[in-house]
Amino acid sequence: MATMDQRKANIVQEVLPKAGLVYSEKGNLSEVLCKPKIMPIKSQALERLEEMEKQVTQAAQARISTANRVNTAGSRLGTSGGNF
């Protein structure tokens, strides 16, 4: 067992400042929960999904534009303006 002198050596001595403010907290300390921070981080899965969506959109637009070109070319060929 520790003797009384050893216990006194382990105790931290308080030091009060001669100038300035002194803050004192009494009571039990508890955890303080703060509002979570929203981080703009994209996961790799989300980036892959966005890339796939972009490819699908581009493919659909390419199909539509080729279909429009075929339809306009076909309508020009069908109307020669001559008599039947």
Side-chain angles (χ1 to χ4, degrees), residues 9-50:
N10 290 338
I11 295 175
V12 178
Q13 184 180 4
E14 291 182 10
V15 177
L16 296 175
K18 294 182 181 178
L21 299 174
V22 176
Y23 294 100
S24 174
E25 292 184 11
K26 293 185 179 180
N28 294 334
L29 297 177
S30 63
E31 296 177 0
V32 176
L33 300 177
C34 60
K35 193 174 181 180
K37 310 288 188 281
I38 298 175
M39 304 289 287
I41 297 176
K42 287 188 177 181
S43 67
Q44 290 179 349
L46 181 59
E47 288 178 354
R48 275 187 264 139
L49 283 173
E50 288 178 348

Side-chain angles (χ1 to χ4, degrees), residues 41-83:
I41 297 176
K42 287 188 177 181
S43 67
Q44 290 179 349
L46 181 59
E47 288 178 354
R48 275 187 264 139
L49 283 173
E50 288 178 348
E51 184 64 30
M52 288 171 42
E53 286 178 354
K54 184 190 269 185
Q55 290 174 355
V56 168
T57 304
Q58 289 174 350
Q61 288 176 349
R63 285 186 200 145
I64 291 171
S65 64
T66 54
N68 287 340
R69 279 191 238 136
V70 168
N71 287 341
T72 56
S75 64
R76 288 184 201 150
L77 295 175
T79 58
S80 60
N83 295 334

